[in-house]
Amino acid sequence: IKRVSLELGGNSPFIVCADTDIEKAAAACAQRAFSNMGQICISVNRVYVAEEIAEEFGELLVRQAERLRIGNGLEENVDLGPMFSREQRSRTKEHVADALNKGAELLSGGREPEGEAFDKGYFFLPTVLGGADHSMRIMREETFGPVAPVMRFKTLDEAIRLANDSDYGLAAYIYTSDITTGIRAAERLEAGGVGVNINNVMDHQMPFGGWKESGIGRELGLYGLQSFLEIKHIRLGL
């Protein structure tokens, strides 16, 4: 019998509460959604924003996306390089097109950059979508590309329900100025790792892995070691 530990796909939600520092939340969201062109297992895939701040947050997220410099990653002053394959870029374009066809609003990006410098390489602009909902593939499937679709919510209960409405459960994030709210939400979010006011759930001392279809078993930390050990019970009669 072969024991396995599997770290599989993700579709990480990013919840932004009305009481948070909006600028910090937007910067953190952009960094986790667009770094490495969104090709990270714990990248932000779905953004849920309280409706009171949704417009302002969207503007700040667009500003963050449009300041990123695209180009050859071996050159200085470049933030993002190309995607790793034509297939992955095509999947990203399909998800964006599906969202737009179902009523999403293109706020930024959504296409390949223009110019001779981008003829070689699978480049795609960091993309922000507004008016997203769960009828769209981009909210239900892992895009693995530089796209941040934004959906509004009215209550935190609704946001958590939407965040948990997924086959995946690798990472989740919530930004709020109330640490009690953050901890209580983290306990309810169905993910192997939750970042409260931080956009990274990786820590070499702590276990990493997913719930649901995001995997089984853990890596890193004490729990990661235990996944590769056999437990023995010795019972003594004296």
Side-chain angles (χ1 to χ4, degrees):
I1 300 174
K2 179 67 70 175
R3 178 183 296 178
V4 296
S5 175
L6 301 175
E7 191 267 286
L8 302 174
N11 193 9
S12 303
F14 189 99
I15 299 174
V16 186
C17 298
D19 64 355
T20 196
D21 183 319
I22 304 178
E23 291 191 3
K24 287 184 178 179
C29 181
Q31 194 276 335
R32 183 50 62 207
F34 303 133
S35 61
N36 203 42
M37 294 297 280
Q39 300 167 130
I40 302 174
C41 59
I42 60 171
S43 289
V44 168
N45 300 112
R46 304 173 281 148
V47 186
Y48 301 102
V49 184
E51 59 181 4
E52 307 96 293
I53 61 168
E55 185 172 350
E56 181 180 359
F57 179 87
E59 293 173 354
L60 291 170
L61 188 57
V62 167
R63 194 179 307 166
Q64 290 284 341
E66 293 182 346
R67 71 173 48 162
L68 294 169
R69 296 158 296 187
I70 313 296
N72 185 336
L74 299 178
E75 297 178 357
E76 294 185 7
N77 300 320
V78 168
D79 298 307
L80 299 173
M83 299 185 70
F84 67 80
S85 72
R86 177 183 286 108
E87 292 76 16
Q88 198 55 49
R89 184 175 65 178
S90 295
R91 177 183 176 86
T92 300
K93 292 166 71 174
E94 288 172 6
H95 277 196
V96 171
D98 175 78
L100 295 177
N101 287 336
K102 292 176 179 175
E105 179 185 3
L106 181 63
L107 302 180
S108 181
R111 59 178 176 81
E112 302 164 25
E114 299 175 351
E116 185 177 347
F118 306 107
D119 288 345
K120 293 183 178 180
Y122 308 115
F123 293 95
F124 197 76
L125 291 173
T127 300
V128 181
L129 300 175
D133 63 53
H134 278 215
S135 71
M136 302 168 185
R137 291 177 60 193
I138 203 164
M139 299 295 281
R140 307 201 65 84
E141 302 175 12
E142 184 176 29
T143 303
F144 219 61
V147 187
V150 179
M151 181 175 180
R152 301 185 180 199
F153 67 83
K154 294 182 178 180
T155 67
L156 183 57
D157 285 342
E158 179 190 9
I160 293 173
R161 177 182 60 79
L162 291 166
N164 290 339
D165 181 22
S166 173
D167 294 332
Y168 299 100
L170 186 58
Y173 310 95
I174 179 168
Y175 271 68
T176 173
S177 64
D178 186 337
I179 193 64
T180 300
T181 297
I183 293 173
R184 288 177 176 172
E187 291 174 340
R188 296 170 60 193
L189 286 166
E190 298 171 357
V194 180
V196 179
N197 295 331
I198 190 169
N199 67 351
N200 189 359
V201 297
M202 297 291 294
D203 187 322
H204 290 296
Q205 304 174 77
M206 296 292 111
F208 174 76
W211 288 14
K212 299 189 277 190
E213 292 187 19
S214 286
I216 186 171
R218 291 295 179 267
E219 307 166 25
L220 307 178
L222 176 61
Y223 291 97
L225 292 174
Q226 289 176 345
S227 294
F228 296 93
L229 299 178
E230 289 286 356
I231 296 175
K232 178 185 290 185
H233 166 216
I234 300 176
R235 186 182 183 195
L236 297 178
L238 299 177

